[in-house]
């Protein structure tokens, strides 16, 4: 986990050019580890995200008795222990900064015959866990949290879960996945209903590992009593990492960038729709399926952007992309309105507040609302101010501000950026090769 405090100095570089790939998808990397760990047989994962979040999940699975080899960068070989092969850890399981790690592991561990304790860093220790505790408790789990349903989570040994029919109170793939993972150990049927569709990687990966799953619009349903069979997983590039490059190339005139092998599952690409509505020039080239997932190369060229009202229906499909969207909006002509995005307040930071505060310091008017914001863009010729901004320890805020600085008239110091290593290790190096001006601060 990142304990070193790292600041960045970002200033305008050159137009973005190049032909690049981004690191592997974080959501898919977590799920590949978890399912492979409890499968029968050996799973090889390629394109694995070498980030702190996913490495924390791998370390936890090792503590639970799973052998995981790392033969090369981006590769993991997981020797599955079978559905009932996990063993108690004598020490707490540290999820670091990863909400996905903690919530999915809570689901996986809820039905085990041993106690576990899940802990996290300062940011994760402030994130709400009632959303997983409630349904898992309804399934028969015993989970003790801190006041306010915060981590650490103590999960008690369980002598049997039972399926539930659960309607998600918030649009959350993490909660859906926690319930489905617990459902593997439950008697009877576990059914999750969602009013707003969220990323479906757990459902498709369960099917790939041979567990019968029935999905229809807004409903995923499994029965206990089956087994998972190891299968190799090729992880596509993370759209959420590509998002920063899409916005950077859109707002820096003269840019023309090709990003290869990006996962374009429609439950992840709401930002594409939003940016295109703003006038962005982004083309999906060579669309194909890779390991069951939609993948494409994304070509992005600079464009003049204008403000839009972001449709509430696509908020869940771009839930991790709002820091990047806020930057595009800050440099678009006219206001951009975001509504129905209260979940942003409980991410790695309160992303509405973090971005509003930073953009104001850069000279942009932002009116915050409880579930969104109105960003009054400066327009194509507009220029941001320099200064010192706080990323609030949030990896996506840090990267979004580095992108914003490409249109500033003086250097921007971004404080507390070490957590970028949770999701996009190598961002600084890659950014520099493309033309983004970014270095570590003194
Ligand atoms: C994730 C789901 C989303 C997302 C997170 C990863 C996942 O969280 O923000 O980065 O892998 O399931 P929520 O389920 O809380 O919306």
């Amino acid at each position: 986990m990142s304990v070193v405090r790292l600041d960045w100095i970002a200033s305008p570089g050159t137009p973005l050019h190049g032909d690049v790939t981004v690191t592997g998808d974080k959501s898919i990397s977590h799920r590949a580890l978890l399912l492979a760990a409890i499968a029968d047989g050996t799973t090889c994962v390629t394109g694995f995200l070498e980030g702190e979040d996913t490495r924390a999940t791998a370390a936890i699975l090792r503590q639970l008795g799973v052998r995981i080899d790392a033969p090369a960068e981006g590769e993991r070989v997981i020797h599955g222990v079978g559905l009932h092969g996990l063993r108690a850890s004598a020490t707490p399981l540290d999820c670091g900064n990863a909400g996905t790690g903690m919530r999915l592991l809570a689901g996986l561990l809820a039905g085990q015959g041993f106690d576990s304790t899940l802990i996290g860093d300062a940011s994760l220790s402030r994130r709400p866990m009632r959303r997983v505790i409630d349904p898992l408790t309804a399934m028969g789990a015993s989970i003790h949290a801190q006041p306010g349903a915060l981590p650490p989570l103590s999960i008690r040994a369980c002598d049997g879960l039972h399926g539930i029919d659960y309607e998600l109170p918030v649009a959350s793939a993490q909660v859906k996945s926690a319930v489905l993972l617990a459902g593997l150990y439950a008697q009877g049927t576990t059914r999750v209903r969602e009013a707003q569709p969220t990323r479906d990687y757990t459902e498709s990966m369960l099917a790939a590992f041979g567990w019968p799953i029935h999905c229809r619009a807004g409903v995923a349903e499994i029965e206990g009593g089956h087994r998972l069979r190891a299968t190799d997983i090729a992880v596509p590039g993370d759209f959420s990492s590509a998002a920063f490059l899409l916005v950077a190339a859109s707002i820096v005139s003269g840019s023309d960038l090709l990003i290869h092998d990006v996962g374009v599952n429609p439950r992840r690409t709401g930002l594409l729709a939003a940016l295109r509505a703003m006038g962005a020039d982004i083309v999906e080239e060579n669309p194909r399926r890779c390991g069951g997932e939609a993948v494409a190369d994304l070509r992005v060229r600079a464009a003049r952007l204008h403000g839009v009202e972001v449709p509430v229906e696509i908020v869940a499909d771009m839930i991790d992309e709002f820091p990047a969207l806020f930057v595009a909006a800050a440099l678009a002509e006219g206001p951009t309105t975001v509504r129905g995005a209260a979940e942003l307040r409980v991410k790695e930071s309160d992303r509405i507040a973090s971005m509003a505060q930073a953009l104001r310091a850069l000279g942009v008017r932002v009116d915050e609302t409880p579930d969104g914001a109105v960003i009054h863009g400066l327009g194509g010729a507009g220029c941001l101010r320099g200064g010192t901004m706080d990323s609030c320890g949030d990896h996506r805020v840090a990267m979004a501000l580095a992108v914003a600085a490409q249109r500033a008239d003086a250097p921007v110091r971004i404080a507390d950026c070490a957590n970028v290593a949770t999701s996009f290790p190598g961002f600084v190096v890659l950014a520099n090769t493309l033309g983004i001006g970014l270095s570590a601060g003194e």
Side-chain angles (χ1 to χ4, degrees), residues 72-341:
E73 168 104 3
E75 282 180 34
R76 290 296 181 278
V77 177
I78 300 123
H79 302 269
V81 295
L83 200 63
H84 298 285
L86 296 177
R87 297 287 166 258
S89 164
T91 49
L93 308 168
D94 190 351
C95 303
N97 193 244
T100 307
M102 184 171 284
R103 295 191 179 119
L104 269 58
L105 277 158
L108 181 66
L109 294 171
Q112 306 294 332
F114 54 82
D115 295 350
S116 306
T117 302
L118 292 168
I119 62 173
D121 70 3
S123 152
L124 182 52
S125 300
R126 289 191 294 268
R127 296 185 64 187
M129 293 297 148
R130 184 170 311 288
R131 54 186 60 199
V132 287
I133 295 172
D134 282 351
L136 296 175
T137 304
M139 296 175 81
S142 166
I143 304 180
H144 176 78
Q146 307 314 301
L150 298 176
L153 298 181
S154 303
I155 303 170
R156 304 300 300 272
C158 173
D159 56 11
L161 298 177
H162 51 82
I164 50 169
D165 188 327
Y166 192 65
E167 170 121 31
L168 292 182
V170 281
S172 170
Q174 293 178 356
V175 178
K176 172 175 63 176
S177 302
V179 174
L180 290 174
L181 289 172
L184 303 180
Y185 294 90
Q187 274 214 332
T189 304
T190 296
R191 189 176 299 119
V192 186
R193 302 172 191 272
E194 49 183 5
Q196 183 65 48
T198 63
R199 64 193 72 186
D200 54 2
Y201 300 129
T202 302
E203 297 92 304
S204 44
M205 214 181 279
L206 280 170
F209 277 84
W211 195 288
I213 176 159
H214 306 286
C215 297
R216 51 185 197 275
V219 184
E221 191 176 299
I222 58 168
E223 307 254 343
H226 298 277
R227 304 211 43 109
L228 297 164
R229 284 189 309 275
T231 182
D232 293 345
I233 305 277
V235 182
D238 198 323
F239 182 86
S240 296
S241 296
F244 300 104
L245 307 181
L246 294 176
V247 171
S250 294
I251 63 171
V252 176
S253 83
S255 298
D256 183 349
L257 186 65
L258 184 61
I259 315 170
H260 288 276
D261 305 328
V262 184
V264 288
N265 181 314
R267 297 282 74 80
R268 292 293 298 285
T269 50
L271 181 75
L272 275 184
L275 287 176
R276 283 178 177 146
M278 295 171 83
D281 178 359
I282 305 173
V283 181
E284 283 171 66
E285 296 181 353
N286 190 16
R288 57 206 183 270
R289 307 238 15 130
C290 181
E293 280 297 322
V295 172
D297 305 329
L298 301 178
R299 176 170 294 280
V300 50
R301 296 184 179 89
R304 281 184 91 85
L305 303 181
H306 53 83
V308 292
E309 188 149 331
V310 177
V312 174
E313 309 79 69
I314 67 168
V315 164
D317 295 344
M318 57 180 291
I319 195 64
D320 291 334
E321 278 56 84
F322 281 95
L325 185 273
F326 272 47
V327 171
L331 290 153
E333 190 77 49
T336 292
T337 306
V338 174
R339 288 182 297 117

Side-chain angles (χ1 to χ4, degrees), residues 361-362 384-389 408-413:
L362 290 167
L384 300 169
R385 287 200 292 259
T388 296
M389 317 290 136
D409 61 8
V412 175
R413 185 179 190 100

